[in-house]
Structures are given as C-alpha cells and as structure tokens.
Amino acid sequence: MSRQIDVFNIYVKITFVSLILSASAFFVSPYPIGSDPWAHLEYIKNFLQFNSLTVSGSTHRVDEYYLNYPISHLFATAISLITNLSTRVSFYMISTTLIFSTIFTYIFVKEISNDSNIALFSLLLLSVADCHIQWTSKVIAMSFGLAIYSIIIYLLIKVNSMNMSASHRPIYSSLLILFTFLIIWVHTISAFITLITIICLYIMSLVNQKMFSQKTYGTLGKFTFCVVVIVTLIYHWMDPSYPFFSDILRTLLHSLSSETEFLSQNFHSEVVESSEMLLLTFGFLIYTFFGIIGSLFTLSRFNSSSRNTSLLFTVLALYTIRYTFPIFGLRNVIPERWPAFIYVIFVLFIAIGFFKIVFSIKSQKQQIVSIFIILFTASFFMITDNETNLDSPIYGENVIQRLVWTESEMSLFTRVNELYDNVIVTDRQTEIRPFETYLYRDQKKVIGYPLNNQGKINWDVINKNLIIWRKTSLSRPVSCSSAEVVLGHDFEVKLYNNFSCIYNTGEAKAFV
C-alpha cells in the first residue's frame, strides 16, 4: 500500500509540474499563443453564439473544415456551458485533457516494463518534452487527438495482454474501437498517425509469428480491425469540404512527376541561421541518444519480446514517414507535429536507456549527480526551445517568430480596425490572426508586408497605406508576403523618415 501511495504522490507532482509549464505558456498573453489556436478558439465562440455547429459568414479565416471534425470544440463548448467558465479558460481544458491523459502512458509503460520506476520516469520525460508542452500551450484540435492517441496505445497493449481475463477483453476491445472511431472525427493528422500505428503493430505481429515463432497478441493480429479503420478513414477523408485523401495523393504524384518540386517548400525564409540553431535541437538529441540505447537493449537476445519489437518498429516507421514525406514536397501531413505522437511510445525506450546508462555507474553519489545533470540539461533545453518559448526565448531569438500578442498591441489593432477603412499593412501573422480571424477585418483591407523580387520590402505598394510596426521585428523574424524577414532598425528609421507615427503603445506603432 505504501508503494502505491508513493507512486500516486509522484504522479501528482509530475502532473502539477506539467500544468505549471503549460499554463505559464498558455496564459502569458490574454490572447491565443501561436497561429492556429486563434481559429480554433473562434469555432468555440461560434458554437456558443449560434447554439449549433456553424460558423459566422463574416469570419473570413474560419472556414467550415472543422465542422466535420468538431469533437474537441464541442468538448470545450460543453465545459463552458456546464461550468460557466470563460471561453478562453474552457479552451484551456483541452490542454488539461492532454496533460491528464499521460496517466495512460504510465500504465502502458508499466504494462510493458513491469517496473514502476521506469513508468514514472517515462511520465516525467513526456511531461517536460517540448512537443508535449507545445500542444498544451498552443491548443488545437490535435491536442485533443493526441490525448485520445495515448488512450488508444494503452488499449492496444491492454487488449493484447496475456494476463487479461476473457470477461474483460470484450470491454477493452469495445473501448478500443470506440476511441479509434472517435479520433477519426477529432483530427485528420491524429487519425492518420493512428492508422499507421495500428498497421505497423499488425505487420510486426505477423512477422514475429511467422519468422520467430513468437505468440501474437490478440488484436495486433486481427486483419479485420485494420480493414475497418482504413475503410472508415478513407470514407471520412473523401469529405468534399476537405478531401484530405485526394490532396495527399495529388501532392505526392505532382512532386514525383516534376524534378523541380523535389525537395521543394512552399514558403522560404530569408533569415540567416546561426550556431544557436544547434541549441534548439539539443534536448531532442539527448532524448534520441537514450532512446537508441534503450532500443538496442530491448532488441538484445535476452530482452527482446513481441510487444517490444512491434512498438520499436512502429516508432521507426513513424520517424521514417515524418522525415521522408517533406523530401517529396508532401506537407499535407504536417510532419513537424509527428514527434508529439512518436514520444508517446518512444518515451518507453528513452527511459530504459537512461536507466541502463545511469545505473551502470557503481557509486550511488555519482548516480545521483548524473541523474541531476542529465535531467536538468534535457529539461532546460526542452522548455526553452522554439517550440515552447515563443515569447522571450533565451537563445535562437533571431530565427523564431514571436507569435504572442500583448494587450497593448491588441488595443492598437482594435483601435486602428475601428477607425481606419483603407488598407492596413502589417506582418503576415498579425494580418491573418488578430485582424482577419479575431477582428473579422475584410481580407482586401489588410495585407502582409509585400516583398519585391530581391526579397526586400516593396515600398511602392505600401506608401499610401497605414503601416503597423511591431517592436519585435527589430531582432526577430516576421512573416512577409513570401518569406520570413528580420526587418531590423533600418525599417523603423525609414518609417520615421517617410511617415508620421499616429499611434504608439511601446510594443507596436501605427504610421501613415
């Protein structure tokens, strides 16, 4: 009993730390953090306003796509109606769902490793991982999908457990089918990753059975379950409002048929990368190092098992797709979001690798020092990189956009939007989020900084318009019409020399 109490206390502390990291990033501004969360918050506002699954015709940047994937928004809407919380706080409840879903990662790792220490450490590593903090602060529908994905992984392991009683297996199988269908109506990418995960586990079940004479585990060897998921996904992806399936195939075929599209990107950056970029990936490299060690250990002759090899193959497949798809110019699957899902499984091998290296040290004092140094270093770089710290990064500032808008900036935008009826020129992200999504400004009356063929500001286009300048553009990149650019001090000087400042809040200024 004392052991269970210790585990519970540690779990509560880890969850509390995760909540602090998430909430401190989410509530750093009274407005959404990042870009996409602005649109998702508007869905919830519209659901509450119209009491139905609809969006206002005046919301130019909020189309009807997510009306076909409304589960996360309905969840936040229900929270708002039941608890009478503000829309923004209800929106954050999606984050708390993701945070508390990590308990399923703990249970699944405990089931595989049969070690509470490894399971708790996996939970800690996942809670301070940059991709986990990122999607609990930049809340989108995928955040809810990631929570459901953790549940699905647990159910897959539980259904296939040799120790499960026959009476309980139908219950867990039904829950697995329910959550698998649910994630299809939550988020496209989440469902796509879930499909790949299920297929990989099924394939490895067959491999283990045919080649190594290892006993397969229940559902992992069920062909029918894979077929049902595939058919359901394709049916939903053929939705005429957003034909995800045909878009992926069309993009892939176009990339393969044209050499000029190979390795292409739709958006480029003029920002010069510095040595600080290496620090942005340092936390990832630490996790990967221990993950490789843990993977090699679990593949060793005396430690390999059917479930371990299946999970490791799934991680390898997900990483392969994540890094291969962009090579062919296929970005519909948004590969930069995949690590959050990969870590749900990979964290098991990271924890195993960490334990094997640290406990190979004989001295207990040296073990404690090593644990502290490694954990402090990994967590420091995880919670300070460009994924988790958009406001005031300690390093890499010159390559990270500041997708955080302060109250003073928003007051300027609101005032200008009310009083000025002609075209407003600002950075691209401010154009599409605060102005078009939040303030519902007509798309024809606000544009991003236009660039000429040389990648410089096209002053001929903006001379007769109102220009909004953000202080952050002095040292940090902003999105323009076709690239990311650091405007620098020269841009501000030219504004003062050729225009009149009519509004100044310190963080932002308006010039005509």
Side-chain angles (χ1 to χ4, degrees):
M1 180 61 68
S2 60
R3 179 62 180 171
Q4 294 177 351
I5 294 175
D6 289 339
V7 169
F8 176 76
N9 288 337
I10 294 173
Y11 167 75
V12 170
K13 292 176 182 178
I14 294 174
T15 303
F16 186 65
V17 169
S18 184
L19 283 169
I20 291 176
L21 291 173
S22 170
S24 61
F26 183 88
F27 291 106
V28 71
S29 169
Y31 300 94
I33 305 300
S35 180
D36 289 351
W38 288 81
H40 289 278
L41 183 59
E42 289 303 311
Y43 279 102
I44 299 170
K45 290 180 180 178
N46 275 263
F47 290 176
L48 288 169
Q49 178 181 352
F50 296 104
N51 299 317
S52 63
L53 295 183
T54 185
V55 292
S56 170
S58 62
T59 54
H60 301 290
R61 305 304 296 187
V62 183
D63 56 36
E64 296 184 355
Y65 165 50
Y66 271 104
L67 298 183
N68 301 289
Y69 302 89
I71 303 299
S72 59
H73 309 101
L74 287 175
F75 171 79
T77 300
I79 292 293
S80 180
L81 293 173
I82 294 171
T83 63
N84 201 30
L85 292 172
S86 67
T87 307
R88 180 157 167 75
V89 175
S90 300
F91 188 42
Y92 181 67
M93 291 301 105
I94 297 176
S95 290
T96 61
T97 303
L98 175 54
I99 291 171
F100 285 110
S101 71
T102 56
I103 185 63
F104 293 98
T105 299
Y106 166 81
I107 301 173
F108 128 69
V109 174
K110 176 68 165 56
E111 175 78 20
I112 297 295
S113 65
N114 197 29
D115 190 325
S116 296
N117 293 327
I118 291 179
L120 284 171
F121 194 70
S122 299
L123 181 63
L124 176 62
L125 290 174
L126 184 62
S127 297
V128 298
D130 54 358
C131 55
H132 179 79
I133 302 172
Q134 176 185 11
W135 302 118
T136 57
S137 56
K138 295 190 290 186
V139 185
I140 58 176
M142 196 198 76
S143 302
F144 202 73
L146 183 56
I148 297 177
Y149 181 79
S150 301
I151 299 174
I152 290 173
I153 294 300
Y154 159 70
L155 290 173
L156 278 169
I157 299 300
K158 191 66 177 178
V159 165
N160 303 303
S161 174
M162 299 293 292
N163 300 322
M164 175 174 286
S165 63
S167 60
H168 289 166
R169 196 176 300 276
I171 298 175
Y172 282 90
S173 297
S174 300
L175 288 173
L176 175 60
I177 295 173
L178 173 63
F179 280 102
T180 303
F181 283 2
L182 183 63
I183 202 172
I184 295 174
W185 271 264
V186 170
H187 189 253
T188 310
I189 305 304
S190 303
F192 186 49
I193 296 174
T194 301
L195 173 64
I196 294 173
T197 300
I198 292 172
I199 292 176
C200 288
L201 292 175
Y202 167 68
I203 291 174
M204 282 308 297
S205 296
L206 296 180
V207 171
N208 289 322
Q209 183 182 29
K210 301 297 183 181
M211 296 185 62
F212 304 106
S213 299
Q214 292 183 349
K215 184 176 179 59
T216 57
Y217 291 83
T219 305
L220 293 185
K222 293 289 181 64
F223 177 75
T224 305
F225 180 65
C226 294
V227 171
V228 170
V229 175
I230 293 172
V231 171
T232 308
L233 272 175
I234 293 178
Y235 170 78
H236 198 50
W237 287 349
M238 288 181 176
D239 190 323
S241 64
Y242 187 76
F244 180 76
F245 183 71
S246 61
D247 277 1
I248 286 184
L249 292 180
R250 189 185 307 112
T251 306
L252 179 60
L253 291 174
H254 182 67
S255 298
L256 293 175
S257 62
S258 174
E259 293 183 4
T260 59
E261 292 296 323
F262 191 73
L263 289 170
S264 69
Q265 293 184 0
N266 295 327
F267 188 82
H268 69 280
S269 174
E270 300 293 336
V271 178
V272 178
E273 297 184 356
S274 63
S275 57
E276 290 184 347
M277 285 293 290
L278 296 175
L279 298 177
L280 297 176
T281 61
F282 200 69
F284 165 78
L285 294 176
I286 293 175
Y287 272 35
T288 302
F289 170 75
F290 288 110
I292 293 173
I293 299 299
S295 301
L296 294 174
F297 175 80
T298 55
L299 288 176
S300 62
R301 178 179 179 183
F302 300 104
N303 298 289
S304 63
S305 68
S306 175
R307 289 190 295 186
N308 287 345
T309 53
S310 296
L311 291 170
L312 191 56
F313 175 76
T314 302
V315 170
L316 180 61
L318 292 175
Y319 264 126
T320 301
I321 296 173
R322 182 258 183 270
Y323 287 106
T324 302
F325 274 33
I327 293 178
F328 294 97
L330 202 159
R331 308 193 66 84
N332 304 67
V333 295
I334 319 179
E336 60 270 18
R337 297 184 182 181
W338 287 50
F341 294 87
I342 297 173
Y343 275 7
V344 172
I345 303 175
F346 194 41
V347 71
L348 162 67
F349 303 99
I350 298 173
I352 292 175
F354 182 92
F355 271 65
K356 293 306 173 183
I357 290 180
V358 169
F359 289 104
S360 64
I361 302 173
K362 303 300 182 182
S363 171
Q364 186 176 11
K365 291 183 178 180
Q366 292 179 350
Q367 288 179 2
I368 295 174
V369 172
S370 299
I371 291 172
F372 174 79
I373 293 175
I374 295 172
L375 272 182
F376 177 82
T377 304
S379 60
F380 173 81
F381 285 102
M382 280 291 188
I383 65 179
T384 56
D385 67 9
N386 61 320
E387 304 294 348
T388 57
N389 194 359
L390 295 174
D391 184 31
S392 304
I394 300 175
Y395 52 88
E397 184 181 62
N398 59 326
V399 295
I400 304 173
Q401 289 192 68
R402 187 175 186 266
L403 298 182
V404 179
W405 289 267
T406 63
E407 187 70 65
S408 63
E409 289 176 315
M410 290 300 296
S411 66
L412 184 150
F413 303 156
T414 303
R415 188 67 171 166
V416 168
N417 183 64
E418 293 173 350
L419 300 178
Y420 191 76
D421 196 46
N422 292 325
V423 176
I424 295 174
V425 183
T426 181
D427 64 272
R428 176 66 175 159
Q429 285 295 334
T430 300
E431 170 205 345
I432 64 174
R433 292 317 180 193
F435 276 106
E436 294 181 1
T437 302
Y438 183 78
L439 298 173
Y440 302 162
R441 189 172 183 86
D442 192 302
Q443 291 178 333
K444 297 179 181 179
K445 293 187 175 181
V446 57
I447 63 173
Y449 295 128
L451 301 180
N452 56 30
N453 295 333
Q454 290 73 41
K456 306 298 181 181
I457 295 293
N458 191 336
W459 291 98
D460 293 335
V461 176
I462 65 177
N463 271 337
K464 296 181 180 180
N465 301 311
L466 184 145
I467 305 171
I468 289 181
W469 173 88
R470 297 177 68 198
K471 185 179 180 180
T472 182
S473 66
L474 287 173
S475 58
R476 301 182 63 173
V478 295
S479 295
C480 297
S481 59
S482 59
E484 290 182 2
V485 176
V486 177
L487 298 178
H489 184 65
D490 291 341
F491 183 79
E492 182 188 15
V493 171
K494 191 162 186 176
L495 287 176
Y496 271 108
N497 291 338
N498 297 278
F499 302 87
S500 299
C501 181
I502 60 171
Y503 209 121
N504 185 354
T505 65
E507 292 292 323
K509 300 175 184 178
F511 294 85
V512 290

